[in-house]
């Protein structure tokens, strides 16, 4: 999503861009990366538009500013909405990707997108994620022609980043307001509060929406530490990828999965994956085992 | 059950049962839960346009993890069954004989199954798919041997031996 109409007249002038994120901390909903760009010559006017760090503004004010900047022909913007399912899946992959990496990739995706549109970006201001110096190196390595300014609290220091933070925050709030739960179980509702782990409304919502087998609706970021105490109360689920972790760390507890076998009363369920042990390679590779008892 | 060797059992395949085709899933994890669950409210596989090695890839999420899978038909001449113990109530009866313990009956059947990988795309190399190779191997192994099969086999063997001799030279 973004301002995707015609290439603005000022695209070939030296341009600046700000990048900021919304919804990095909450246990639910998408994380949104937003960017805002304009010609360097427009910078002064931009400073007069009263953009401030989106968190210090009231929701109505943010909405108003977003609507205004959308109609401003001297400003361009774009967002990257990262679905909570994608966040969970990446962070729970066999080769886990952490939130910083996901954030960096998203920001770099926005830079690439704007450059590809034909905007002559010379300076990009980014709110830091992780170590600012390393992040800057990563960005400069990928886009050598662009000068990057990576700073803490960039959203309150540079109006162009404040603008980006409004784009991101309004987009996330709208996405949550309009969110349609994928799950069709009864008694579900959307009063999940801010989504921040400390919010009592969020806690109550999590408690109400946990499910013995499936955990939570997919709006929830399963990979968040906030979920851990709830998940402990649910049916235990053992994954092959976790098994590998355990094997490499302590190697004590062997987890095995049910595959082509049937639970016997004698053997415990986690021991019954057919291994084909003691048989020729043909059976081992296919995890086939002869079963004399059910 | 601990006794080795001669225990006998039976599975009763008579009668009409529910057809679960399209609803049987094999997950790459062990869920330590037995019992009914509102699967269709939570588990929503979606077809992707992706096709890999002749398998059309499906996508789903379970407990925050991304699963990629494919639906496989049970080969012709075979069927999938859900079997359960007969007379579950009597099982704990001290008088029940071993014979009773090993009597099973069919609760449902299915003609296809969707198997899922965590992270990896489904592939013809997946152990689950390969396990079906056994069906054709078993068929060949147990097929009665005719006289002409023996004849052609010995010719083939002769050729092989010749081949190895040549290599040695």
């Amino acid at each position: 999503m973004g301002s995707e109409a015609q290439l603005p007249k000022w695209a070939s002038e030296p341009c600046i861009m700000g990048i900021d994120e919304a919804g990095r901390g909450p246990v639910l909903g998408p994380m949104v990366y937003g960017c805002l760009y304009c010609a360097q010559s427009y910078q002064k006017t931009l400073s007069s538009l009263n953009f401030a760090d989106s968190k210090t503004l009231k929701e109505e004010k943010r909405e108003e500013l977003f609507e205004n900047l959308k109609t401003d022909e001297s400003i361009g913007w774009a967002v990257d909405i990262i679905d909570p399912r994608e966040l969970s899946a990446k962070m729970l992959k066999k080769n886990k990707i952490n939130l910083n990496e996901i954030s960096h990739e998203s920001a770099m995706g926005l830079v690439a997108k704007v450059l590809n549109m034909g905007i002559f970006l010379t300076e990009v201001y980014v709110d830091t994620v992780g170590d600012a110096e390393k992040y800057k190196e990563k960005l400069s390595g990928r886009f050598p022609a662009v000068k990057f300014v990576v700073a803490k609290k960039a959203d309150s220091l540079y109006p162009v980043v404040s603008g980006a933070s409004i784009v991101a925050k309004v987009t996330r709030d709208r996405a949550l307001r309009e969110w349609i739960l994928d799950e069709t179980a009864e008694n579900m509702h959307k009063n999940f509060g801010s989504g921040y782990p400390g919010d009592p409304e969020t806690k109550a919502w999590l408690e109400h929406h946990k499910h013995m087998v499936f955990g939570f609706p997919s709006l929830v970021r399963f990979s968040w530490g906030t979920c851990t105490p709830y998940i402990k109360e649910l049916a235990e689920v053992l994954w092959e990828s976790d098994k590998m972790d355990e094997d490499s760390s302590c190697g004590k507890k062997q987890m095995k999965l049910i595959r082509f076998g049937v639970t016997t009363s004698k053997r415990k369920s986690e021991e019954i994956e057919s291994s084909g042990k003691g048989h020729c390679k043909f059976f081992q590779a296919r995890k086939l085992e002869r079963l004399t008892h059910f | 059950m601990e006794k080795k060797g001669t225990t006998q059992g039976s599975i009763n395949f008579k009668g009409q049962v529910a057809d679960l085709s399209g609803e049987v899933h094999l997950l790459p994890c062990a869920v330590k839960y037995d019992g009914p669950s509102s699967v269709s409210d939570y588990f929503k596989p979606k077809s992707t346009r992706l096709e890999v090695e002749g398998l059309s890839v499906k996508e789903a999420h379970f407990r925050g993890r991304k699963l990629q899978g494919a639906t496989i038909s049970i080969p012709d001449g075979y069927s999938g069954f859900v079997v359960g113990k007969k007379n579950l109530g009597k099982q704990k009866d001290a008088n029940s004989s071993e014979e009773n313990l090993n009597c099973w009956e069919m609760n449902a059947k299915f003609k296809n199954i969707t198997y899922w990988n965590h992270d990896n795309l489904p592939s013809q190399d997946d152990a689950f798919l390969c396990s079906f190779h056994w069906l054709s191997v078993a068929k060949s192994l147990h097929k009665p041997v005719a006289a002409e099969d023996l004849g052609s086999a010995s010719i083939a063997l002769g050729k092989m031996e010749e081949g190895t001799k040549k290599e040695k030279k």
Side-chain angles (χ1 to χ4, degrees):
Chain A
M1 244 203 305
S3 49
E4 275 153 359
Q6 281 173 326
L7 194 63
K9 278 171 277 172
W10 43 268
S12 50
E13 280 180 47
C15 290
I16 57 163
M17 180 161 95
I19 299 178
D20 198 21
E21 130 289 319
R24 196 177 141 85
V27 65
L28 49 82
M31 177 166 82
V32 177
Y33 259 80
C35 69
L36 186 136
Y37 51 92
C38 63
Q40 231 160 20
S41 55
Y42 191 69
Q43 214 170 347
K44 271 200 178 137
T45 326
L46 194 73
S47 311
S48 67
L49 293 179
N50 292 323
F51 291 155
D53 172 14
S54 65
K55 281 174 207 135
T56 64
L57 296 169
K58 285 223 171 81
E59 188 171 350
E60 299 85 58
K61 186 68 189 164
R62 282 197 303 262
E63 290 276 348
E64 187 194 314
L65 287 168
F66 185 53
E67 290 306 320
N68 291 346
L69 72 85
K70 267 163 64 177
T71 54
D72 191 330
E73 283 178 9
S74 303
I75 296 176
W77 62 279
V79 288
D80 179 26
I81 304 173
I82 309 166
D83 193 279
R85 271 167 291 229
E86 190 183 334
L87 289 173
S88 309
K90 284 191 167 156
M91 292 172 75
L92 295 169
K93 263 169 88 95
K94 288 177 185 167
N95 299 315
K96 298 180 171 46
I97 306 176
N98 67 37
L99 191 61
N100 283 2
E101 276 174 73
I102 298 172
S103 305
H104 293 169
E105 281 306 319
S106 178
M108 290 192 284
L110 286 173
V111 177
K113 182 181 171 173
V114 173
L115 284 173
N116 286 340
M117 279 165 59
I119 309 287
F120 179 41
L121 286 181
T122 51
E123 279 173 43
V124 174
Y125 296 81
V126 192
D127 200 23
T128 194
V129 167
D131 184 85
E133 269 310 302
K134 280 185 194 157
Y135 190 15
K136 188 182 167 174
E137 244 171 67
K138 196 169 173 180
L139 289 162
S140 306
R142 182 88 68 97
F143 307 99
V146 181
K147 184 193 163 209
F148 285 95
V149 178
V150 182
K152 266 184 194 169
K153 300 197 174 155
D155 49 351
S156 50
L157 292 173
Y158 308 101
V160 75
V161 183
S162 309
S165 84
I166 288 164
V167 170
K169 179 75 176 142
V170 171
T171 306
R172 171 168 151 97
D173 288 347
R174 287 184 183 178
L176 271 183
R177 261 202 309 272
E178 289 156 22
W179 194 270
I180 296 163
L181 290 170
D182 212 15
E183 292 69 24
T184 43
E186 281 174 36
N187 294 322
M188 289 187 158
H189 61 78
K190 282 172 54 185
N191 306 321
F192 34 63
S194 65
Y196 279 97
D199 185 339
E201 208 175 349
T202 301
K203 285 186 193 167
W205 187 87
L206 287 171
E207 186 62 39
H208 181 74
H209 286 78
K210 67 179 187 200
H211 185 279
M212 200 57 194
V213 174
F214 294 94
F216 288 109
S218 52
L219 172 70
V220 173
R221 304 173 183 175
F222 284 73
S223 47
W224 254 238
T226 320
C227 294
T228 316
Y230 298 94
I231 289 171
K232 273 186 184 151
E233 295 166 23
L234 311 177
E236 195 183 355
V237 174
L238 307 171
W239 295 85
E240 278 172 299
S241 51
D242 295 345
K243 180 199 161 192
M244 289 191 297
D245 286 350
E246 269 182 48
D247 280 357
S248 55
S249 59
C250 66
K252 267 187 183 172
K253 209 169 159 195
Q254 282 269 321
M255 305 289 191
K256 288 188 178 178
L257 309 179
I258 303 168
R259 263 289 158 85
F260 223 56
V262 181
T263 330
T264 66
S265 53
K266 191 69 194 157
R267 295 194 284 183
K268 281 185 196 146
S269 63
E270 67 259 48
E271 290 167 353
I272 81 128
E273 183 190 43
S274 317
S275 60
K277 226 178 180 178
H279 292 274
C280 76
K281 274 186 185 157
F282 177 88
F283 296 107
Q284 279 178 25
R286 290 161 182 80
K287 298 186 174 175
L288 282 172
E289 198 176 352
R290 199 167 67 164
L291 213 69
T292 50
H293 282 90
F294 272 7
Chain B
M1 295 286 258
E2 282 168 52
K3 204 163 61 177
K4 283 199 173 175
T6 57
T7 328
Q8 285 196 341
S10 70
I11 304 174
N12 181 10
F13 286 118
K14 281 180 198 148
Q16 285 287 322
V17 290
D19 186 355
L20 293 182
S21 299
E23 294 171 61
V24 181
H25 298 276
L26 181 66
L27 298 182
C29 58
V31 182
K32 293 201 163 182
Y33 175 85
D34 280 315
S37 190
S38 44
V39 177
S40 55
D41 282 333
Y42 284 87
F43 193 68
K44 313 241 181 200
K46 289 186 179 73
S47 297
T48 67
R49 286 190 192 154
L50 209 60
E51 199 167 305
V52 183
E53 298 175 15
L55 302 162
S56 38
V57 179
K58 294 184 176 179
E59 213 182 272
H61 288 85
F62 180 64
R63 291 272 183 123
R65 301 186 196 223
K66 185 177 171 181
L67 307 179
Q68 291 169 303
T71 302
I72 307 303
S73 301
I74 307 286
D76 273 342
Y78 295 85
S79 226
F81 295 101
V82 178
V83 292
K85 272 258 159 79
K86 226 173 174 178
N87 302 326
L88 265 174
K90 276 189 186 171
Q91 222 192 89
K92 280 163 193 151
D93 195 335
N95 295 329
S96 68
S97 64
E98 189 155 312
E99 204 177 302
N100 269 340
L101 276 174
N102 223 7
C103 282
W104 299 76
E105 62 187 357
M106 166 177 71
N107 289 335
K109 59 180 179 182
F110 50 93
K111 282 305 285 173
N112 58 37
I113 182 167
T114 307
Y115 83 100
W116 297 95
N117 291 339
H118 176 205
D119 281 350
N120 299 330
L121 283 166
S123 141
Q124 296 290 353
D125 294 330
D126 288 329
F128 176 68
L129 283 191
C130 291
S131 65
F132 287 103
H133 297 165
W134 168 245
L135 302 181
S136 28
V137 173
K139 200 174 163 192
S140 310
L141 276 175
H142 296 287
K143 202 168 67 180
V145 181
E148 48 268 37
D149 291 334
L150 276 176
S152 57
S154 61
I155 291 168
L157 198 68
K159 275 183 184 164
M160 269 169 68
E161 278 170 355
E162 239 169 67
T164 42
K165 272 178 201 164
K166 271 180 192 165
E167 266 170 40
K168 277 176 188 169
K169 279 176 189 173

